[in-house]
Amino acid sequence: MVHWSAEEKALIASVWAKVSVEECGAEALARLLIVYPWTQRFFDNFGNLSSPTAIIGNPKVRAHGKKVLTSFGDAIKNLDNLKVTYSKLSELHCDKLHVDPENFRLLGDILIIVLAAHFTKDFTPACQATWQKLVGVVAHALAHKYH
Amino acid sequence: MLTAEDKKLLQQAWGKLGGAEEEVGAETLWRMFHAYPPTKTYFPHFDMSQGSDQIRGHGKKVVAALGTAIKNLDNLSQALSELSNLHAYNLRVDPPRFALQFLAQCLQVVLAVRLGKEYTPEMHSAVDKFMSAVAAVLAEKYR
């Protein structure tokens, strides 16, 4: 089980309290599809993904981004119980969605960059270190049920 | 790999640093050491306190090298040839640590912190591709 210090929990909570799940989720997913275009392979039915502008404005991308980040919020509420919390989601990503877990790492890193652009200097090195740990642990939990 | 548009965006991004290269370098390294402690193993001789002369000096060197690379995007292999030798034969930094998850991620974060909304997805993409290209050149001579 991962250990979280009081300081780390505080850093996670303070950033999360100020995050707009809809905006940041949409932006993180859009950036994933723009910066790593091969990830578009999972979203064939999303319509127009032909340019950064199209991706950013795509309503399905926005909606799905919000869904993904909302789920991330569940992780934050269950930091001491992540593998169980994400058990079904992990099975889904493996068995139905067939997503290579490497993509979880990519999305996690992109989320951090989105937070950095959003919070600028408030996204301190200590904040980043804690959040890198968090996205790593979330990615690990999501990959846990792969077989 | 890098399109004409990417090259333009890179030059723009670098231009926006406005002479703060040393700070950008130092902050990138500091964030990297903090978020990815194993990267410190390559610097056992460094004073690791925040703002140390060694971290600032080294950060400045790294960013200067990246600046040189940006001025020579059509000829990265040659421009970074000596650094490539250094990393392969002397420093022998574990290649996956180049490829680069850690330094590049921290550089991206520093750029995002400094540029905020101006750090557009297109710029982010160009920098990501650039850092992959640099990592590939630096790892060329490993074996």
Side-chain angles (χ1 to χ4, degrees):
Chain A
M1 209 182 75
V2 179
H3 173 74
W4 299 95
S5 70
E7 193 196 338
E8 286 170 331
K9 288 188 179 183
L11 282 170
I12 292 171
S14 73
V15 168
W16 192 247
K18 303 186 210 114
V19 164
S20 155
V21 165
E22 188 167 339
E23 284 310 311
C24 285
E27 180 152 1
L29 186 63
R31 283 182 186 249
L32 182 75
L33 298 172
I34 292 166
V35 178
Y36 306 114
W38 55 87
T39 57
Q40 292 170 23
R41 68 189 282 266
F42 301 110
F43 303 101
D44 275 337
N45 61 339
F46 268 32
N48 187 4
L49 297 178
S50 60
S51 69
T53 311
I55 292 172
I56 292 166
N58 184 312
K60 286 189 173 176
V61 171
R62 294 191 69 82
H64 196 70
K66 178 181 176 184
K67 192 172 174 186
V68 168
L69 206 61
T70 302
S71 169
F72 201 84
D74 288 337
I76 291 180
K77 288 197 209 81
N78 291 281
L79 283 179
D80 295 324
N81 200 15
L82 262 180
K83 290 203 178 85
V84 171
T85 304
Y86 270 10
S87 175
K88 288 267 172 295
L89 258 185
S90 182
E91 284 169 6
L92 178 77
H93 280 78
C94 174
D95 299 331
K96 295 270 155 42
L97 304 176
H98 309 293
V99 177
D100 182 341
E102 173 68 6
N103 292 292
F104 308 146
R105 187 185 68 74
L106 290 181
L107 184 60
D109 277 353
I110 287 201
L111 176 62
I112 302 251
I113 291 171
V114 167
L115 293 176
H118 197 77
F119 292 107
T120 65
K121 36 189 202 352
D122 287 341
F123 197 64
T124 60
C127 254
Q128 181 189 352
T130 298
W131 275 76
Q132 296 283 176
K133 179 176 168 181
L134 176 62
V135 302
V137 163
V138 167
H140 186 76
L142 263 179
H144 193 243
K145 282 303 192 50
Y146 272 60
H147 58 95
Chain B
M1 198 168 40
L2 287 166
T3 64
E5 182 63 19
D6 289 329
K7 293 177 187 179
K8 216 172 79 187
L9 285 165
L10 276 170
Q11 269 137 16
Q12 252 175 45
W14 226 248
K16 287 181 197 280
L17 295 182
E21 280 83 358
E22 189 176 314
E23 275 95 72
V24 167
E27 187 175 346
T28 297
L29 288 180
W30 175 253
R31 282 180 182 266
M32 187 182 76
F33 294 144
H34 214 82
Y36 307 106
T39 56
K40 293 190 285 189
T41 60
Y42 293 98
F43 302 92
H45 51 295
F46 264 32
D47 167 8
M48 283 299 187
S49 53
Q50 191 166 16
S52 80
D53 286 338
Q54 284 173 312
I55 295 185
R56 294 189 71 82
H58 196 69
K60 184 175 177 184
K61 249 198 244 177
V62 168
V63 171
L66 291 174
T68 300
I70 287 181
K71 291 200 195 73
N72 291 279
L73 290 172
D74 293 326
N75 199 6
L76 267 183
S77 221
Q78 198 170 23
L80 294 177
S81 171
E82 275 189 40
L83 269 180
S84 185
N85 286 329
L86 182 73
H87 283 77
Y89 302 125
N90 297 61
L91 303 176
R92 290 170 294 187
V93 178
D94 189 34
R97 297 213 185 276
F98 271 157
L100 126 215
Q101 308 165 31
F102 308 141
L103 183 70
Q105 172 69 0
C106 291
L107 177 66
Q108 294 262 28
V109 168
V110 171
L111 292 173
V113 163
R114 283 180 171 257
L115 302 179
K117 299 197 285 328
E118 282 179 10
Y119 201 59
T120 60
E122 290 89 333
M123 208 177 257
H124 174 170
S125 179
V127 172
D128 196 276
K129 286 163 81 172
F130 167 65
M131 291 305 282
S132 294
V134 168
V137 167
L138 286 180
E140 251 167 24
K141 310 221 173 91
Y142 267 67
R143 53 180 172 162

